[in-house]
Amino acid sequence: MVRNLRAESDRMHALACICRTALCVDLFAKESVRRGQKPLPGTDIASLFEDARIKDDLNSSTSKSLFREELVASLVESCFQLSLPLPEQKNSGMEGRVIGALAYGTGYGALNWTEPALEVVEVCRPCVKWDCDGRTYAIDCYLKLLVRLCYIFDTRGGVKRVKDGASQDQILNETRLQNLQRELVKDLREVATPRVCARLIWALSEHIDLEGLDPLLADDPEDPLNIIISNVHKVLFNLDASASTSNRLQDVQAVLLSVQRLGSRHPRAGVLLTKELEEFRASNVSDSVNKHQSRLILQRIKYVSTHADDKWAGVSEARGDYPFSHHKLTVQFYEAAAAQDRKLEGLVHKAILELWRPQPSELTQLLTKGFDSSSLRVPPAAIPLSGSSDPCYIEAYHLADSGDGRISLHLKVLNLTELELNRVDIRVGLSGALYYMDGSPQAVRQLRNVVSQDPVLCSVTVGISHFEKSALWVQVLYYPFYGSGAAGDYDGDYAEEDPQIVRQKRSLRPELGEPVILRCQPYKIPLTELLLPHKVSPVEYFRLWPSLPAIVELTGTYTYEGSGFKATAAQQYGSSPFLSGLKSLSSMPFHKVCSHVIRTVAGFQLCFAAKTWFGGFLGLMIFGASEVSRNVDLGDETTTMMCKFVVRASDASITKVIESDLQGFLDDLTNGGVEYMPEDEVKVAAAERLKISMERIALLKAAARPPPKSEITDDEESSEEEDDIDTEGKGEDEEAENQAKMEKKKKKKMKKEKKGEEEEDETKGPTTLSKPTAEEVEHRALQAAVLQEWHLLCKDRSTKVN
């Protein structure tokens, strides 16, 4: 039934509920069996896959259904949630009840999560054979859980024995895992894509029990080690490097890592893998990097085989991590499959976290934390739409609901005259991407008998169809002569008797009279309202940044007011003084990825990330230069500062909207604190500034003390110039002598410069890369600085939390 839910979020939520219930029921059932009750049918994980269609889907390698991936991913991610410690009981919600009951029922908290997880890994085994058009999220989830279980049960050491202190349950579980590994080794031949094959080889070779293999089957092609090695060969020599099936660079790297760890663990594996590596090195399939890496691995395997008695702790120990995911290299080599994976991961994670660890409600936070809670938002400020002398004064504010894609405009109408207005019509028209739910061109609200100084509240809700600058246009019509029609007021003596007059009286409506139309200023919906903060790590942000195709660059100026020494950008503590014009950014729906204020006169860089309501990604970097410090000693001053905004977006339509009104975008972003400066003005200002600074440098140089004596002093140079002037009148011999002297000095100078360059090169060491440009160097330095700042901030946060 869940499969037929059309809306993705509904389907994911239902799947998350079902998977959590299945895992909890499985845990309870196992606990009750342990206490001596009869096992109940249909309580194990396998019963989820009883339906014939789902079973066929799971076992078919070519099915293109996305639902099976959603099901496996939800099941595995739910296992990971079960393995996490219980949440603190502060935020009491439904999740506390479910997990609390689970802890009570199993006796050990959710400590036995490995049992249902083991069943999940057994049931979902066919997923490694799937061909999902390059999508790997569900398979990655599965292998991650497999590796975690192999690490917990330490499958490399074989099945533990009773005399070593192992319980019956542990022996049973370890035997099941060992059998599963052998089955997966056999499945290696049927894996559809080299990408998955490389990852499965890694997961198996890291944790398989090599000591437990039968030495008599060394030549048998069915031997697990032989199967693994033949598949290693297949991946290394696979030339079908189409992007949807393999990412050859990454596959070969993964396999070479597996080879190194497998070869250094077991002598027979070492011998067989040495042959493979020698062959790979000699072939023209491997590039120079892979050849070097193969040589290094061969040396390591050789060293381990000759020093068999030396066991180095930690060198080839198994780790419980699974270092692959669909995230790796997806930006440099963009694929539709990776984008689908990311989307699926986002949906699965969101559904599971909402179910297992929902965000506590604002009411709960208020009750637990009190009124200093950060969740309390500032109420929106009302904006007056009409003039102060208008008989009807109107002010408005809006509230946005990104979930439904709607915005509500709340109006407050106030009659400023001393008369009672019998009828007032309020009409609201729309421009931009707004629309009314019922499709009408405008909304009309009639107010009757508006009493003086008594505010009337009314609201209008509109939908937003796409990311665009939009506005609501309010118009007020009031009828000062409403109800003063003369015909209706006539009452004769025989009015009640004559039915014709009664009928006429009924049909007469009081006259409306001429309305007075008040046009209000439009209520603009800021573009920033259509953004949602998008949490992303700085590394992922910098990886994503170059791949966003649409770019807008704009320069803004803002006024910084400061005094004396505090005005310098070298201020060490508190918020940076020159961010005064950008303070409003903190309340905008952007997620601050990282901010770095370089604590010198250089400037600052801020990085923000957001998504539009309609799915497009928006990155914003702000570069600012500190120009305050040049006036340090001049006491109080007001300085105009410049900063550059670079906006990159996943879709050109987003940047077009921003470009259509650059000043408007800056106003939305900084509450009118920054003024847009056209590019030609920026160039003129930069040239002017350069001229001033050059003049200052010249003055400083002139005022500075004379430099330490070099081989050619200023006096000598001036004397040379004089010599040159004099030589015109002297003989040719002297001129030749002077020329020789000049050449000698030039040579000396050249030698000195060359020597300096060589020294520089020596300190740098040899480089195989081309020299980076100044822009690249600056960008790298900024990135490094930003990341460093981010790590420091994270450390501060963790210490505060502790």
Side-chain angles (χ1 to χ4, degrees):
M1 286 169 76
V2 172
R3 179 188 206 123
N4 297 326
L5 284 172
R6 292 269 60 85
E8 284 170 334
S9 53
D10 294 349
R11 194 165 66 243
M12 291 303 170
H13 186 76
L15 269 178
C17 289
I18 287 169
C19 292
R20 179 168 83 170
T21 310
L23 291 171
C24 294
V25 166
D26 189 68
L27 260 177
F28 278 128
K30 287 196 168 47
E31 188 63 29
S32 58
V33 167
R34 217 173 273 128
R35 289 176 183 168
Q37 293 176 14
K38 283 184 179 174
L40 284 167
T43 54
D44 53 349
I45 302 290
S47 55
L48 275 180
F49 297 90
E50 273 175 358
D51 182 56
R53 273 176 72 195
I54 292 180
K55 208 169 196 173
D56 292 347
D57 230 8
L58 184 71
N59 290 300
S60 145
S61 62
T62 52
S63 160
K64 297 298 174 208
S65 135
L66 199 65
F67 178 73
R68 61 182 189 170
E69 292 171 54
E70 293 171 358
L71 178 57
V72 167
S74 300
L75 201 51
V76 172
E77 295 283 9
S78 299
C79 282
F80 283 128
Q81 281 298 322
L82 196 58
S83 72
L84 295 174
L86 296 177
E88 293 172 26
Q89 288 304 308
K90 266 194 296 186
N91 48 349
S92 55
M94 286 299 290
E95 89 291 347
R97 189 176 146 196
V98 172
I99 300 178
L102 195 62
Y104 173 75
T106 53
Y108 301 104
L111 200 65
N112 300 326
W113 74 277
T114 51
E115 295 190 2
L118 187 57
E119 208 153 301
V120 167
V121 178
E122 285 178 337
V123 173
C124 299
R125 194 192 97 207
C127 76
V128 294
K129 301 179 196 171
W130 290 351
D131 177 11
C132 306
D133 293 329
R135 294 188 301 274
T136 60
Y137 172 55
I139 303 168
D140 279 333
C141 281
Y142 174 81
L143 290 176
K144 196 171 167 186
L145 182 60
L146 176 75
V147 166
R148 181 82 61 88
L149 287 174
C150 289
Y151 179 67
I152 289 169
F153 285 112
D154 187 22
T155 49
R156 291 176 124 187
V159 179
K160 315 295 178 291
R161 291 168 302 180
V162 177
K163 68 176 183 183
D164 295 332
S167 65
Q168 288 297 330
D169 283 349
Q170 190 183 346
I171 292 170
L172 181 65
N173 289 341
E174 289 187 359
T175 310
R176 280 166 67 188
L177 245 186
Q178 297 276 4
N179 292 339
L180 175 70
Q181 279 183 331
R182 293 205 175 90
E183 294 298 322
L184 280 165
V185 169
K186 286 176 187 166
D187 289 344
L188 263 173
R189 295 164 177 165
E190 298 171 52
V191 171
T193 59
R195 183 178 297 188
V196 176
C197 189
R199 292 174 185 191
L200 182 55
I201 287 172
W202 193 93
L204 290 170
S205 63
E206 184 83 341
H207 294 279
I208 198 163
D209 173 22
L210 290 175
E211 306 300 329
L213 296 179
D214 189 346
L216 298 174
L217 297 175
D219 298 330
D220 187 3
E222 292 300 309
D223 179 62
L225 185 59
N226 292 341
I227 296 174
I228 289 174
I229 288 171
S230 65
N231 280 282
V232 164
H233 180 90
K234 218 178 354 180
V235 175
L236 288 179
F237 291 90
N238 165 49
L239 289 173
D240 170 34
S242 60
S244 60
T245 60
S246 74
N247 184 339
R248 185 166 163 75
L249 284 173
Q250 200 185 344
D251 298 345
V252 169
Q253 283 298 307
V255 166
L256 288 176
L257 279 174
S258 307
V259 164
Q260 179 180 320
R261 300 180 81 101
L262 198 60
S264 54
R265 270 176 58 204
H266 195 260
R268 177 159 73 92
V271 171
L272 293 170
L273 288 167
T274 304
K275 280 185 201 165
E276 286 297 334
L277 283 176
E278 293 285 8
E279 191 182 337
F280 179 62
R281 260 183 79 195
S283 74
N284 54 4
V285 179
S286 61
D287 58 19
S288 60
V289 176
N290 288 337
K291 283 189 165 82
H292 284 302
Q293 201 173 348
S294 304
R295 200 185 85 239
L296 181 69
I297 293 170
L298 281 167
Q299 284 173 348
R300 284 185 178 167
I301 293 175
K302 188 179 170 187
Y303 185 87
V304 170
S305 60
T306 51
H307 298 70
D309 300 334
D310 300 348
K311 288 286 179 202
W312 294 345
V315 170
S316 60
E317 263 180 22
R319 288 168 300 186
D321 63 344
Y322 174 75
F324 312 102
S325 78
H326 57 278
H327 285 306
K328 300 286 160 67
L329 302 174
T330 50
V331 172
Q332 293 94 318
F333 309 101
Y334 175 77
E335 306 151 22
Q340 270 182 307
D341 269 339
R342 268 207 288 265
K343 182 184 173 190
L344 179 59
E345 182 185 33
L347 287 165
V348 169
H349 277 229
K350 189 179 172 200
I352 283 176
L353 284 177
E354 270 179 7
L355 188 67
W356 284 84
R357 283 166 171 73
Q359 291 289 325
S361 68
E362 291 187 12
L363 182 63
T364 315
Q365 282 190 337
L366 273 178
L367 293 171
T368 52
K369 292 182 184 172
F371 285 97
D372 59 349
S373 165
S374 59
S375 68
L376 281 177
R377 283 188 286 277
V378 182
I383 301 166
L385 297 183
S386 61
S388 55
S389 60
D390 288 349
C392 268
Y393 173 76
I394 290 193
E395 62 178 24
Y397 66 90
H398 74 276
L399 295 171
D401 177 8
S402 57
D404 284 345
R406 292 178 190 184
I407 278 184
S408 300
L409 181 73
H410 295 263
L411 299 167
K412 184 164 119 183
V413 183
L414 195 60
N415 174 9
L416 293 182
T417 64
E418 292 185 3
L419 306 169
E420 181 181 318
L421 298 176
N422 292 329
R423 173 170 169 182
V424 177
D425 286 1
I426 293 173
R427 299 180 176 212
V428 185
L430 308 174
S431 66
L434 305 176
Y435 63 92
Y436 286 114
M437 309 298 163
D438 58 356
S440 59
Q442 61 175 340
V444 180
R445 172 85 198 266
Q446 286 186 4
L447 305 176
R448 296 287 172 97
N449 307 331
V450 181
V451 185
S452 171
Q453 307 300 322
D454 200 2
V456 181
L457 304 173
C458 54
S459 65
V460 173
T461 302
V462 292
I464 297 190
S465 55
H466 54 274
F467 186 78
E468 192 188 325
K469 196 104 179 160
S470 313
L472 294 121
W473 302 73
V474 180
Q475 192 182 56
V476 181
L477 291 83
Y478 80 97
Y479 300 85
F481 310 111
Y482 177 78
S484 59
D489 293 342
Y490 175 71
D491 282 337
D493 295 335
Y494 47 86
E496 273 115 37
E497 291 89 43
D498 193 339
Q500 189 184 355
I501 289 180
V502 172
R503 204 179 308 120
Q504 200 176 7
K505 208 172 174 185
R506 273 192 201 139
S507 67
L508 273 173
R509 289 196 186 128
E511 279 188 34
L512 289 172
E514 280 299 307
V516 176
I517 299 173
L518 304 175
R519 285 190 177 82
C520 303
Q521 67 178 33
Y523 187 93
K524 290 176 181 164
I525 304 294
L527 271 179
T528 46
E529 200 60 72
L530 306 182
L531 297 173
L532 299 167
H534 179 61
K535 290 190 178 179
V536 64
S537 71
V539 176
E540 192 68 20
Y541 181 84
F542 281 125
R543 193 188 283 168
L544 198 61
W545 179 256
S547 70
L548 297 171
I551 306 176
V552 182
E553 289 188 13
L554 53 153
T555 307
T557 58
Y558 61 93
T559 307
Y560 164 74
E561 294 174 5
S563 61
F565 180 69
K566 277 194 176 179
T568 63
Q571 187 188 16
Q572 291 295 320
Y573 306 105
S575 63
S576 230
F578 45 70
L579 293 182
S580 59
L582 301 173
K583 266 183 189 156
S584 55
L585 265 174
S586 57
S587 60
M588 290 298 149
F590 270 96
H591 174 67
K592 193 186 236 184
V593 179
C594 37
S595 73
H596 187 77
V597 178
I598 299 165
R599 314 271 180 196
T600 62
V601 289
F604 60 91
Q605 178 192 22
L606 302 168
C607 303
F608 292 91
K611 274 191 164 180
T612 67
W613 287 12
F614 312 97
F617 183 84
L618 196 77
L620 171 67
M621 274 197 203
I622 305 172
F623 300 94
S626 160
E627 297 164 21
V628 182
S629 52
R630 65 183 187 201
N631 299 334
V632 174
D633 299 321
L634 302 179
D636 291 358
E637 83 275 343
T638 301
T639 312
T640 302
M641 306 273 298
M642 283 178 75
C643 54
K644 187 158 195 174
F645 292 77
V646 183
V647 182
R648 290 188 82 150
S650 55
D651 191 359
S653 62
I654 298 172
T655 49
K656 266 183 194 161
V657 173
I658 294 171
E659 276 175 323
S660 65
D661 181 11
L662 293 171
Q663 182 59 57
F665 178 68
L666 283 179
D667 287 347
D668 293 346
L669 206 58
T670 57
N671 289 348
V674 174
E675 193 180 330
Y676 170 63
M677 207 175 169
E679 207 56 38
D680 46 353
E681 285 182 34
V682 175
K683 282 175 186 166
V684 170
E688 188 63 33
R689 213 175 310 116
L690 184 65
K691 189 180 166 190
I692 292 168
S693 58
M694 291 298 280
E695 284 170 5
R696 284 190 177 172
I697 288 167
L699 283 168
L700 284 168
K701 273 190 174 174
R705 65 178 189 275
K709 282 199 172 187
S710 60
E711 285 187 12
I712 303 171
T713 59
D714 293 350
D715 297 24
E716 274 181 23
E717 280 177 10
S718 58
S719 67
E720 278 167 21
E721 284 167 18
E722 284 166 20
D723 285 353
D724 288 347
I725 296 161
D726 293 345
T727 44
E728 290 171 13
K730 289 180 185 176
E732 287 178 10
D733 298 344
E734 285 177 40
E735 205 174 319
E737 267 181 38
N738 280 331
Q739 274 186 352
K741 269 186 194 174
M742 289 274 284
E743 276 172 18
K744 266 188 184 178
K745 279 167 190 167
K746 273 186 189 172
K747 276 179 188 172
K748 270 188 184 177
K749 217 174 185 183
M750 291 276 283
K751 269 186 188 174
K752 198 175 177 193
E753 281 171 9
K754 269 192 180 176
K755 200 176 181 185
E757 280 175 18
E758 281 167 16
E759 278 170 13
E760 270 183 29
D761 285 349
E762 278 170 24
T763 53
K764 284 179 192 169
T767 171
T768 53
L769 301 169
S770 58
K771 282 188 179 176
T773 62
E775 279 180 6
E776 282 173 358
V777 169
E778 185 185 6
H779 194 66
R780 281 181 201 167
L782 271 170
Q783 281 195 17
V786 167
L787 291 172
Q788 186 185 355
E789 177 85 357
W790 178 257
H791 289 308
L792 287 172
L793 282 172
C794 288
K795 271 187 191 169
D796 291 350
R797 242 179 257 151
S798 60
T799 50
K800 276 177 195 168
V801 169
N802 294 338

